Amino acid sequence: MTNASSTTRVRRTEREEETETETEDNDLRCPECSGQLVTDDEHGETVCADCGLVVDENSVDRGPEWRAFDASEKNEKSRVGAPTTNTMHDKGLSTNIDWRNKDAYGNSLGSRQREKMQRLRKWNERFRTRDSKERNLKQALGEIDRMASAVGLPTNVRETASVVYRRALDEDLLPGRSIEGVSTACVYAAARQAGVPRSLDEIADVSRVEKNEIARTYRYVVRELGLEVQPADPESYVPRFASGLDLSDEAEHRARSLLQNAKEQGVHSGKSPVGLAAAAVYAAALLTNEKTTQAAVSEVADISEVTIRNRYHELLEAEESIGVA
């Protein structure tokens, strides 16, 4: 008897599910022609896409009750806070007390109110960084933001660098290494991952640690976190160098062509991508009759003139060998 009643219950449940499914399908179809229903949010109506029958009207608008005619009005009237971000140690969810001793109307506070606000600022700061991990993260993310600004990295690279540092902190990769060293390595890795690479020399110029320590820490972080970082492509440096030298689009295109030929000949293997890119830009400027010097290219690319000359001859030889073939 128990098995029979259980089977009956299962069948009833299946029938109920089928009925609910059929009801939902019918709700999505036009009652006149069984066509597809479309929701028109602008007019608050649900209409049939085939016969035009208005199935529902005066639907509730879930959006804001105010109107905005441009982006600035929308930002002014919006009642939401700033989005969360990994570039701040508390992800931007904490409260900041303004350093100016003024009330909401812009009036100066009295002496007792100023003392009170100073105490509140002090305790607010203590609660924001309650333990050593929070203090570590605050210092490191500040360093990441400073270095990214100095070398002109976009916001998405800063976010990626912050996430990489958080992972390194969570997996206890920091003991025995400086906060500045790990944060610099994270910036370098994030730039490589995002396809907007900066040379190790450029990163070292804005960092507070030596180049050798950055390289060593970078290799360690990439290995331990299993980051997928592709080798730097010399072509990705060309637009920045060409822009810094005020070269034309023709020269930039010619430099890319030289690098592609070098890749086909295998000349790029084992060579610094920055040196190859700088030499290609210099060679392209000469081939397109645009005035530039090795010293100017060296200054923009932050690489020695000797390296530019060596790579320059190799690129031209690769070009000639392709022409002969």
Side-chain angles (χ1 to χ4, degrees):
M1 290 295 292
T2 306
N3 292 337
S5 60
S6 300
T7 305
T8 305
R9 277 196 220 100
V10 170
R11 286 174 181 169
R12 285 177 182 169
T13 305
E14 290 176 352
R15 288 197 202 99
E16 289 172 358
E17 289 177 354
E18 290 175 359
T19 305
E20 289 176 0
T21 305
E22 290 175 0
T23 305
E24 290 176 0
D25 291 339
N26 292 332
D27 291 341
L28 298 174
R29 296 290 176 181
C30 175
E32 292 290 333
C33 67
S34 299
Q36 187 70 34
L37 296 181
V38 178
T39 302
D40 185 357
D41 294 325
E42 184 177 352
H43 299 93
E45 296 175 344
T46 302
V47 299
C48 175
D50 296 333
C51 67
L53 176 69
V54 179
V55 179
D56 187 21
E57 60 181 348
N58 298 327
S59 58
V60 177
D61 184 5
R62 305 291 179 182
E65 77 282 1
W66 43 262
R67 294 189 301 168
F69 299 99
D70 55 31
S72 61
E73 277 192 36
K74 186 175 181 180
N75 291 333
E76 287 175 5
K77 294 182 178 181
S78 179
R79 288 190 291 271
V80 297
T84 57
T85 173
N86 284 301
T87 58
M88 299 179 69
H89 72 282
D90 51 15
K91 297 191 176 181
L93 297 175
S94 63
T95 302
N96 288 322
I97 301 176
D98 195 4
W99 58 271
R100 291 169 294 191
N101 292 314
K102 294 184 178 181
D103 60 14
Y105 300 100
N107 301 322
S108 298
L109 300 178
S111 59
R112 296 188 65 181
Q113 285 292 328
R114 285 200 300 271
E115 291 176 4
K116 181 180 178 181
M117 295 309 298
Q118 186 60 33
R119 287 197 301 272
L120 286 175
R121 289 191 196 96
K122 183 188 297 183
W123 282 106
N124 183 54
E125 188 64 24
R126 289 178 180 176
F127 276 112
R128 286 183 65 188
T129 53
R130 284 174 291 181
D131 54 17
S132 59
K133 185 176 179 180
E134 288 287 321
R135 290 191 293 272
N136 182 315
L137 200 56
K138 184 178 180 181
Q139 180 182 346
L141 296 182
E143 278 291 296
I144 288 173
D145 190 60
R146 181 188 64 80
M147 290 184 287
S149 298
V151 294
L153 293 175
T155 306
N156 64 313
V157 177
R158 303 181 194 197
E159 288 275 352
T160 304
S162 302
V163 171
V164 172
Y165 189 88
R166 287 174 185 273
R167 286 186 57 194
L169 186 62
D170 291 339
E171 299 189 20
D172 292 329
L173 302 185
L174 268 70
R177 290 168 181 81
S178 66
I179 294 174
E180 290 83 1
V182 177
S183 58
T184 307
C186 292
V187 171
Y188 183 56
R192 292 276 296 272
Q193 282 185 314
V196 284
R198 297 291 185 267
S199 67
L200 199 57
D201 291 321
E202 289 178 284
I203 298 293
D205 287 341
V206 299
S207 177
R208 293 192 172 101
V209 293
E210 296 295 328
K211 179 180 175 181
N212 291 337
E213 183 181 346
I214 297 171
R216 186 168 56 249
T217 308
Y218 165 74
R219 289 192 294 268
Y220 174 73
V221 168
V222 169
R223 183 178 66 250
E224 293 297 320
L225 296 181
L227 301 178
E228 294 184 4
V229 181
Q230 299 296 327
D233 187 356
E235 289 186 46
S236 61
Y237 292 95
V238 170
R240 188 156 54 92
F241 294 166
S243 176
L245 295 166
D246 292 327
L247 299 180
S248 65
D249 293 339
E250 182 186 359
E252 184 178 335
H253 179 73
R254 193 74 179 84
R256 290 178 182 275
S257 177
L258 286 169
L259 290 172
Q260 289 169 2
N261 293 335
K263 290 177 185 176
E264 292 178 9
Q265 296 294 313
V267 175
H268 71 295
S269 180
K271 306 291 193 307
S272 167
V274 181
L276 281 171
V281 169
Y282 175 66
L286 296 182
L287 292 171
T288 55
N289 297 320
E290 297 187 32
K291 292 183 179 180
T292 190
T293 62
Q294 291 182 7
V297 177
S298 173
E299 184 177 355
V300 169
D302 194 17
I303 200 164
S304 69
E305 295 181 34
V306 176
T307 303
I308 294 174
R309 281 195 292 274
N310 293 338
R311 300 291 91 82
Y312 164 76
H313 292 300
E314 292 171 0
L315 289 173
L316 292 183
E317 288 173 5
E319 182 89 353
E320 290 174 1
S321 62
I322 289 180
V324 172

